[in-house]
Amino acid sequence: MTPSHESSNPIGSGFLNRRRVLTVALGGAATVALPVPAWAADGQRPGSHQAPKLTSDDRKVIAQISSRRALEHLVQLSEGIGPRIGGTESERRAADYIAAHFDKLGYDTTLQPFTVADKFTGQISAQGRSLPTDLNWQTGASAHAALNTSATGAVVDVRAGAASDYPADVRGKIVLVDYVAARREQVVATAVAAGAAGVILLAADAAPPRLAGTFSPTLPGSANSPVPIPVLGVAQSQKHRLRELLAAGPLTLTVATTAHRNLTSNNVLAERQGRSGANGPIVMISAHYDTVIGAPGANDDGSGTALCMELGRVLKAIPTNATIRFGLWGSEEQGLIGSRYYVRQMPQAERDRILAVYQNDMVATSWDPATKYWLLSFDGQDNRATSEVAAAARRLGYEPQISPVTQRGSSDHQSFQEVGIASANFSWRGEESPALLEPPYHTPEDTIAKNISLERLQVSMELIGTAAYATARA
């Protein structure tokens, strides 16, 4: 998709590529060069329409914000830990990392546990050849097939999966087959009857520019008699890479499945009490730190998490009247589970203390068309959170690039607005609609290299940092 008003929006990739860059070490020997934000406090920001008119209070916050520091957290989350599936060990590693950061800063930090549903994941690795390292190779796994097991075999591509598509002998092999929901049980049964060692169902391509993500195939007819071999569901990008590798020569894969049961997810809560004391007002800054299966979650929502962690550092020593509280939500991707649990456990008296909740979900995409910064309210009405960010945008010179308050849920701000607490979600998205999300959304390609702009992250931190401080300082 071509970005609208490209000539007036220098925050697109053409502008970024002309700026100086930061080389970041990722997993293994891989590196990525990211353009580094480089503007003076009073300089015009990329994508803005005029020079800023900052207050002295704005300067207290902006002078300290560093996207480089935020990037360090993002590398640990999306590259060091990778997919952070609600309730699994990977999500707990992320929770512990986030909590340790706030502990070190001197915040009162707690983990709030809650139970979540079982998860079923797969993992693909190659034998004798390397899989491309720019993708994550975690997949979904069927709960109605073999779990906690692995299978290794030569790969054969049977395309649509009809009996006539099979070669003479697939016994002991890993079968690639196109996924069609109406035929999923039939094609799996055909593979089992032919003696396949495992089945990889290949996601259908999504409508451009979107990409299809991984999935855990449901085989309801096998619920009482599980399929005896592993069945995985891979993303569109993984599908095309596998077929490219197979076209280049014989390919042997190992597929492994894991059932994650009896799960506990956690919200990470960190606060610094304000001058008003234990019963005073509260300003919340939040994000979710979990991901969908197979997605490293660099932008969704490693970016919002890194924003919170960096603003935690910036705001720790700036006096405020209100208490500053950070909420990093677990299991958002399964239906806002963590934030809804948090709100349900909160007494009404404490709900009444919250002045505003600033929820940050996908705040750093490098996708060119994502030129608008959206103010998303579950009820579509202006509130303290949206009005403070809009005011910060005016001071920073961004007003034309900020959306009007727009009705949309599907992130953790909804949990708060459902009980009458002022909150909103803030996110870079396509200019025409908040539904225009970047192609790597919820896919193995949501990586730092493919989906992160440090300049957009810096602007997001400035907007939220100054807005939250304006709310909390009085």
Side-chain angles (χ1 to χ4, degrees), residues 185-368:
E185 293 190 277
Q186 176 186 342
V187 298
V188 170
T190 301
V192 171
V199 176
I200 299 177
L201 295 173
L202 309 173
D205 287 0
R210 291 296 310 280
L211 299 168
T214 64
F215 59 104
S216 296
T218 57
L219 304 169
S222 303
N224 296 322
S225 180
V227 173
I229 61 175
V231 178
L232 280 61
V234 305
Q236 178 176 335
S237 55
Q238 295 167 330
K239 170 183 71 174
H240 290 298
R241 294 299 184 86
L242 288 173
R243 282 183 162 155
E244 289 169 6
L245 289 168
L246 187 57
L251 177 64
T252 298
L253 295 177
T254 294
V255 296
T257 60
T258 303
H260 307 268
R261 302 187 188 277
N262 302 315
L263 300 181
T264 298
S265 184
N266 286 275
N267 294 323
V268 184
L269 305 169
E271 73 171 49
R272 189 213 70 198
Q273 192 174 110
R275 290 185 301 241
S276 58
N279 296 315
I282 299 168
V283 173
M284 292 194 68
I285 305 172
S286 62
H288 73 88
Y289 68 96
D290 68 309
T291 73
V292 298
I293 293 173
N299 191 43
D300 186 17
D301 188 25
S303 62
T305 302
L307 177 150
C308 289
M309 296 176 76
E310 171 60 4
L311 289 185
R313 183 189 69 82
V314 169
L315 295 173
K316 68 172 184 176
I318 303 177
T320 58
N321 180 60
T323 289
I324 300 290
R325 180 178 296 171
F326 290 90
L328 286 306
W329 313 120
S331 296
E332 184 268 358
E333 297 291 4
Q334 286 79 57
L336 316 182
I337 297 175
S339 58
R340 280 184 167 148
Y341 180 84
Y342 173 78
V343 170
R344 284 198 306 270
Q345 302 305 307
M346 190 185 303
Q348 186 60 49
E350 187 167 1
R351 293 180 183 178
D352 293 341
R353 293 170 55 203
I354 299 177
L355 300 177
V357 180
Y358 297 91
Q359 169 69 17
N360 302 275
D361 197 345
M362 304 167 61
V363 296
T365 181
S366 57
W367 188 46
D368 277 2

Side-chain angles (χ1 to χ4, degrees), residues 41-92:
D42 292 312
Q44 186 166 343
R45 271 67 172 162
S48 66
H49 288 249
Q50 62 186 35
K53 299 178 181 178
L54 303 176
T55 68
S56 58
D57 289 319
D58 292 335
R59 294 175 190 278
K60 293 176 186 177
V61 176
I62 287 174
Q64 298 186 58
I65 290 173
S66 169
S67 58
R68 287 173 179 261
R69 289 179 180 269
L71 180 62
E72 293 174 5
H73 300 304
L74 191 51
V75 169
Q76 290 296 321
L77 292 166
S78 68
E79 300 289 336
I81 299 173
R84 305 172 293 281
I85 315 306
T88 69
E89 186 273 339
S90 63
E91 191 199 48
R92 180 55 190 258

Side-chain angles (χ1 to χ4, degrees), residues 65-135:
I65 290 173
S66 169
S67 58
R68 287 173 179 261
R69 289 179 180 269
L71 180 62
E72 293 174 5
H73 300 304
L74 191 51
V75 169
Q76 290 296 321
L77 292 166
S78 68
E79 300 289 336
I81 299 173
R84 305 172 293 281
I85 315 306
T88 69
E89 186 273 339
S90 63
E91 191 199 48
R92 180 55 190 258
R93 286 174 58 201
D96 289 343
Y97 174 77
I98 296 163
H101 168 75
F102 282 104
D103 277 340
K104 186 176 180 180
L105 292 174
Y107 283 79
D108 181 8
T109 308
T110 59
L111 296 183
Q112 183 184 49
F114 53 94
T115 58
V116 292
D118 298 345
K119 308 294 189 304
F120 305 95
T121 61
Q123 190 72 36
I124 299 176
S125 57
Q127 305 302 311
R129 295 167 66 180
S130 297
L131 293 177
T133 58
D134 63 326
L135 289 183

